[in-house]
Amino acid sequence: MTSTTVSPVLLLTAVVRRVERLSPSFVRIRFGGQGFEHLGPEGPTLDQRVKLLIPAAGRSVPTALLDPESWYAEWLALPEAERGHIRTYTARAVEGEGEERQLVVDVVLHGPDAHGSGAGPAGTWAARAAVGDEIGLLAPRRGHERTFGGIEFAPGGARRLVCVADETAVPALASILESLPDDATGVAVIEVPDATDFLDVRVPAGIEAHWIARGRRARGEQTLALLRECLRLDTDGRAVADLPSLGRADLDDDVWETPVYSSSGDDVTAAADDPRALGPDDTYAWVAGDSDTVKACRRLLVGEGGMPRAQVAFMGYWKQGRAG
């Protein structure tokens, strides 16, 4: 009897089922289609990453030309005019069963800002998305989430959480917060472009959630100041901009550091041996957003705050100046 190996990767053509504008900066898109009954993950999506294949202008989605096991090499082999773009997003939720199963993705619409950057291919596509539009999707097969990967939130037995997010990490953090038990405690610092982008997220009573409207302030400035205040780290009378937590020279631009992986090539094997061996205060930190702010938070939490590497996950979702 021959056994067939099932790929943990689902490669689907996702059809837009509904588009909802949540705020000036956020649009929620619900995807469905053939094969979505096999879509994972089971349970909370947490910070589950998926990939969207955005079709080139005037072209169809190339999913039919790709194999789930070798999709990237085959995608690169396509003529550039037919290839389109690939972007990584976090799933806000996976809902429904059978033919009604859907993936919910909240997309940030980056408009022109003080730095002159505008919307990239994903933001442009999302801003114009309409029911019936198609896009490619790479996501975990139901029951194979661990093999597919893409979830970094792993607090183990931590009793206190410290979570930091900018607008690109709001969907992941919202899913994480809504998955927490009622007795969870900690702090969440969430920075978004404007107060109109404060979203309705269910948060346990023991989680102190701070929404920050960036406005014209420098990206991450208020997040660092508030995080320092929440953690009661003394500035010794120095201005926040002069603190060592804002230094960035020792980390790569695409910072991604968890108890089992470091994009900078650091040895994290000791943390990997026991990623749940928490320190005396049983605190776990999850930080995601633009890489400069993430690096600053790393310096603050690990450098100044002394948090062990096994208790933190730092993820640079994007880099200022790169199109999304």
Side-chain angles (χ1 to χ4, degrees), residues 103-164:
L103 168 68
V104 182
V105 178
D106 290 352
V107 180
V108 178
L109 303 179
H110 291 286
D113 59 20
H115 300 279
S117 61
T124 300
W125 184 90
R128 301 171 180 172
V131 174
D133 286 352
E134 295 183 348
I135 195 169
L137 171 67
L138 287 139
R141 181 181 295 275
R142 207 166 182 169
H144 294 261
E145 294 83 8
R146 289 187 178 275
T147 309
F148 179 87
I151 292 179
E152 305 293 354
F153 182 72
R159 294 195 297 266
R160 182 171 182 261
L161 300 175
V162 175
C163 298
V164 181

Side-chain angles (χ1 to χ4, degrees), residues 10-29:
L10 277 182
L11 178 59
L12 303 172
T13 297
V15 182
V16 175
R17 300 300 195 202
R18 183 180 176 186
V19 179
E20 178 184 3
R21 191 66 175 262
L22 301 179
S23 75
S25 297
F26 291 97
V27 60
R28 174 166 293 171
I29 304 178

Side-chain angles (χ1 to χ4, degrees), residues 98-254:
E99 295 180 356
E100 300 303 316
R101 195 159 176 83
Q102 295 185 349
L103 168 68
V104 182
V105 178
D106 290 352
V107 180
V108 178
L109 303 179
H110 291 286
D113 59 20
H115 300 279
S117 61
T124 300
W125 184 90
R128 301 171 180 172
V131 174
D133 286 352
E134 295 183 348
I135 195 169
L137 171 67
L138 287 139
R141 181 181 295 275
R142 207 166 182 169
H144 294 261
E145 294 83 8
R146 289 187 178 275
T147 309
F148 179 87
I151 292 179
E152 305 293 354
F153 182 72
R159 294 195 297 266
R160 182 171 182 261
L161 300 175
V162 175
C163 298
V164 181
D166 72 358
E167 58 267 31
T168 63
V170 164
L173 181 55
S175 180
I176 287 170
L177 291 174
E178 292 179 351
S179 75
L180 296 176
D182 292 339
D183 61 352
T185 61
V187 60
V189 179
I190 310 156
E191 181 177 310
V192 292
D194 188 81
T196 55
D197 295 316
F198 294 175
L199 303 183
D200 184 17
V201 178
R202 298 189 306 276
V203 181
I207 298 291
E208 186 181 338
H210 299 272
W211 287 83
I212 298 172
R214 183 181 310 116
R216 296 182 179 275
R217 302 279 291 274
R219 180 178 294 278
E221 176 185 320
Q222 297 175 84
T223 289
L224 268 292
L226 181 55
L227 186 59
R228 179 177 296 281
E229 180 182 333
C230 290
L231 299 179
R232 296 179 174 83
L233 294 177
D234 190 3
T235 65
D236 296 326
R238 292 171 292 174
V240 172
D242 297 329
L243 294 169
S245 60
L246 291 173
R248 302 177 176 123
D250 62 336
L251 292 170
D252 64 322
D253 283 342
D254 298 311

